[in-house]
Structures are given as C-alpha cells and as structure tokens.
Amino acid sequence: MALLQKKVYTIADIYELPEGQRAELIDGQIYSMAPPSRLHQELVSQFTKIIGNYIDSHNGQCEVYPAPFAVFLNADDKNYVEPDISIVCDKDKLDDRGCNGSPDWVIEITSPSDPQRDYGIKLFKYRTAGVREYWIVNPLKKTVMVYDFEKDQFSNQYNFDDDIPVCIYNDFVINISKLL
C-alpha cells in the first residue's frame, strides 16, 4: 500500500491564490491568514509610526514595512511570510516584490486563531534566517516577548505598561500602553 504524500507548495501557489486571500508559505506548507482585528491594525499603525519617526529623527538607514509586505526568508521557493512589521536596514535586500532575506527586526502581533505559529514555527524560521530581533505582541494578554538573536537566544517578557528596550537600537524604548 502506497503512503499518502503531503503536497509541497511553492511561492507560485501563493501568487495564484484568489485576490484578497492572504496566506504564508513555510517549508512548503500554506497557512491561511485570518483578517486582522481593529486592535491588531491599530497596533500595526502605531508601531509603524513610532519606529518610522525614531529612524527619521536619527537619520537612520532602515525602512519600516507594515503587512502586507512579502518577505522571502530563504533563497528557495518554499518560504514566504508577511510579518506584521518588518524593519529592513540593508536596502540591497529590497526589490519590487519585497524583502529577499531576513529583515533586521520583525514584529508579529498574535492572532487568537493561531498564536502558536508566531511562538513556534516563525520563532525558529526567523532565528535561523538571521533576523536580529523578534517581538511577539499578544494583545489579549497584553504581553510582549522580545528575542535578541544578535546577542543571545534568551527572551524577555514585558507587559504593555513597561518601557520595552529595542535591541537593535541603544537608546530606543517603546511603551505600548502609551501608543493606544
């Protein structure tokens, strides 16, 4: 008896999805993305604004991209993600399709439908792809897990009321409760 084989999808399959349907591709598996909540979108908007303002006020070279923004983590056709916020400092990684390689800082805002993707699969993918800093923002618990992959692999958990230090910048902190 033949074993059932699981279909392996490619980036071409992502681009063939119906208009308006969002999904990510991780190791050849497609993960549908639910529409974001109002709070999710407010957080994306506020993060984009405060990070962009910080970079501009310091004459920084990095760029901030809110979702939907394509990130091709690996040099293959089996990985395509759309982080909620991508901060890219190497402009050579950017083209008209998105970011080819790892952003320097990624922020994911968990969805009630599938928070484990951010805490498990994406944590591993971002770390191994070379992301320098990764934040997982949980609006329901009002917590933020910060991973500084550049200095170590340990994480720190913060509350929305805390001043959260940004690892890739020495003098930048974000207090999420002040953003909302």
Side-chain angles (χ1 to χ4, degrees):
M1 175 183 250
L3 294 174
L4 293 176
Q5 291 187 352
K6 194 165 36 169
K7 178 163 174 52
V8 176
Y9 294 92
T10 67
I11 291 170
D13 295 307
I14 291 289
Y15 284 111
E16 291 174 7
L17 292 173
E19 178 94 17
Q21 183 176 349
R22 290 184 54 214
E24 294 181 308
L25 179 70
I26 300 173
D27 296 329
Q29 295 303 301
I30 291 180
Y31 296 89
S32 293
M33 298 171 71
S37 69
R38 185 199 59 79
L39 176 57
H40 184 282
Q41 288 302 92
E42 186 175 349
L43 284 165
V44 169
S45 177
Q46 293 300 325
F47 276 124
T48 301
K49 189 183 329 178
I50 194 169
I51 296 167
N53 287 343
Y54 174 85
I55 292 168
D56 290 346
S57 70
H58 288 78
N59 298 314
Q61 298 301 309
C62 302
E63 298 284 340
V64 182
Y65 295 97
F69 178 71
V71 173
F72 306 92
L73 283 175
N74 306 85
D76 63 25
D77 66 347
K78 303 211 177 13
N79 289 282
Y80 166 98
V81 292
E82 291 183 5
D84 290 310
I85 304 284
S86 300
I87 294 87
V88 182
C89 300
D90 181 354
K91 290 189 172 49
D92 290 338
K93 291 182 180 180
L94 300 171
D95 64 21
D96 287 339
R97 293 186 335 150
C99 179
N100 298 291
S102 61
D104 292 85
W105 179 15
V106 169
I107 299 173
E108 291 284 8
I109 300 165
T110 62
S111 163
S113 63
D114 192 8
Q116 288 315 110
R117 190 177 324 149
D118 296 324
Y119 288 102
I121 296 168
K122 287 186 178 179
L123 171 65
F124 175 78
K125 292 303 287 185
Y126 292 147
R127 181 181 52 169
T128 58
V131 170
R132 295 166 54 199
E133 181 169 357
Y134 177 40
W135 286 24
I136 305 172
V137 178
N138 187 324
L140 295 178
K141 294 182 179 179
K142 295 187 177 187
T143 60
V144 180
M145 292 296 298
V146 174
Y147 296 88
D148 182 355
F149 296 137
E150 199 169 44
K151 296 189 180 88
D152 56 45
Q153 294 181 7
F154 297 106
S155 63
N156 290 310
Q157 181 170 315
Y158 299 92
N159 294 312
F160 277 22
D161 293 329
D162 295 331
D163 288 338
I164 305 169
V166 175
C167 303
I168 67 169
Y169 298 112
N170 293 328
D171 60 346
F172 186 24
V173 298
I174 297 175
N175 185 306
I176 297 172
S177 64
K178 292 179 181 175
L179 299 178
L180 301 175

